[in-house]
Amino acid sequence: MSLEFIYYPVSFILWCWHKVFGAVFGEATAISWILGIIFLTFTVRGIMFKPFVNQVRSMKKMQDFAPEMKKVQAKYKNDRQRQAAEMQKLQKEHGVNPLGSCLPMLLQIPVFIGLNHVLRTFTNLPLDQKTENYFFGKADVESYVNAKLFGVDLGAAIHNGVSMVGGTGGGGFHWNVAPVAIPLMIVAAAATHLTARHSVSRQNPESATGQTAMMNKLTMYIFPLGVLVFGALFPLGLLFYWLANNGWTLMQQRLVYTKIDKEEEIKKAEAIEKRTALGPKPGQKPAVGQKPAVGQKPVQRKNQQGKKVVKPGSPHGFAQPNTAPKNGPTPKQPTTDAPKATDGAQENGTGVPGLIHDSTKKSGRKRR
């Protein structure tokens, strides 16, 4: 299968940056090629910045509803088909795409393959047979082959046993490359470890599983060790790509996580401010017929003697709307302490219970 559609774009980006830095440092110098490879990496990673942000947000959402996923897995542990259907439904409700978290990593693979092929094509034939290399002409090919870093060719590797990523020269070990290659391998491995550690520290403990713990160990320890081991097979130019890619990932990850943390803090502050605005101010009584807010004391009234009186129909003492009829006097409520009316109310002629009629008292005449 031909991968020309990958080789040509990668070659073009590298050619552009090499011309830019070649105008400053000279096209035949190793620094121009190294900076061209580094900025090729930055260009590709800049294009993938948006998918990376989406990846981080998707991973955070998956961690937030991880307890719900565990419940689904426990509920349908004996029914794999139903479990998968419920998991897809849950992911759709939360707007999570599991493939979105893998997209940035998948996009880097073609770039790595393309750059490796382009750099190897510079040196896989004798110089007298080389005329061009995709976007690079014969002069560019000669400048790459002759460029040296501390006396070591950019296309050289510590070991040339693997043809797919091997460097220039014959097979076997080339220990003269080690003093330049090993420091690059160590820094690249350290950046890989720090990137994985920073990502693991952001994980939700509630979402941790046995598989998660295993993957964390792989990314934190096995992958950096792999960089040290397999870095001996990579030519120097490819090691600079690996170093630049890991360094960019570490810085980008810290930047994106900081931005997301600030967004969450702003959302929390806005939610608190909204709840505060909807609730009553300190010391303010709720309006008539309005339910008191949470934590608000019930409204109580006092009679003329200063005693608290609970309005009838309000068992908790909240303010109740006035239900008295608009027309006519307010009906009096019977009390149990008032004396019962006796026949004296009819006998005394006053109509007032308990008042005895005094036949000696006349209207307008003083009693002597």
Side-chain angles (χ1 to χ4, degrees), residues 4-148:
E4 302 293 322
F5 68 96
I6 296 176
Y7 302 151
Y8 273 99
V10 171
S11 175
F12 176 72
I13 298 174
L14 179 60
W15 178 83
C16 291
W17 285 116
H18 175 253
K19 292 300 180 182
V20 170
F21 293 107
V24 179
F25 302 102
E27 294 187 5
T29 59
I31 188 65
S32 298
W33 286 104
I34 292 172
L35 290 176
I37 294 172
I38 292 175
F39 277 81
L40 160 69
T41 309
F42 292 167
T43 302
V44 175
R45 294 304 304 272
I47 295 173
M48 294 188 298
F49 180 78
K50 184 63 176 179
F52 178 81
V53 175
N54 295 336
Q55 172 196 6
V56 174
R57 296 184 186 278
S58 178
M59 292 176 61
K60 188 177 184 309
K61 287 183 180 180
M62 292 183 67
Q63 293 178 9
D64 291 340
F65 72 88
E68 300 181 29
M69 296 177 63
K70 288 184 178 180
K71 292 180 181 179
V72 171
Q73 292 173 352
K75 186 176 181 181
Y76 303 103
K77 60 181 179 180
N78 297 327
D79 190 352
R80 295 293 182 182
Q81 185 175 0
R82 180 67 182 277
Q83 183 185 113
E86 292 295 329
M87 293 287 285
Q88 291 179 359
K89 180 180 178 182
L90 191 62
Q91 292 169 357
K92 186 176 181 181
E93 290 177 355
H94 289 270
V96 175
N97 183 10
L99 296 178
S101 59
C102 303
L103 182 61
M105 185 179 298
L106 294 176
L107 291 176
Q108 295 178 49
I109 295 176
V111 178
F112 178 82
I113 294 174
L115 180 61
N116 175 57
H117 178 79
V118 171
L119 295 180
R120 287 181 63 247
T121 308
F122 278 116
T123 57
N124 61 358
L125 290 176
L127 185 59
D128 56 352
Q129 300 179 19
K130 296 293 295 185
T131 57
E132 60 183 15
N133 183 15
Y134 297 101
F135 274 91
F136 295 97
K138 185 176 181 179
D140 296 326
V141 173
E142 291 178 356
S143 68
Y144 180 84
V145 171
N146 295 326
K148 297 182 183 296

Side-chain angles (χ1 to χ4, degrees), residues 8 74 91 101 150 153 201 229 233-234 250 271 283 287 291 302 329 340:
Y8 273 99
Q91 292 169 357
S101 59
F150 300 110
D153 296 337
S201 66
V229 173
L233 307 177
F234 296 157
L250 179 61
K291 293 183 179 180
K302 297 182 179 180
K340 296 182 179 180

Side-chain angles (χ1 to χ4, degrees), residues 182-204:
I182 289 178
L184 297 177
M185 293 157 53
I186 294 175
V187 176
T192 303
H193 173 76
L194 293 175
T195 301
R197 179 178 291 276
H198 185 252
S199 179
V200 170
S201 66
R202 302 274 309 184
Q203 293 179 359
N204 185 0

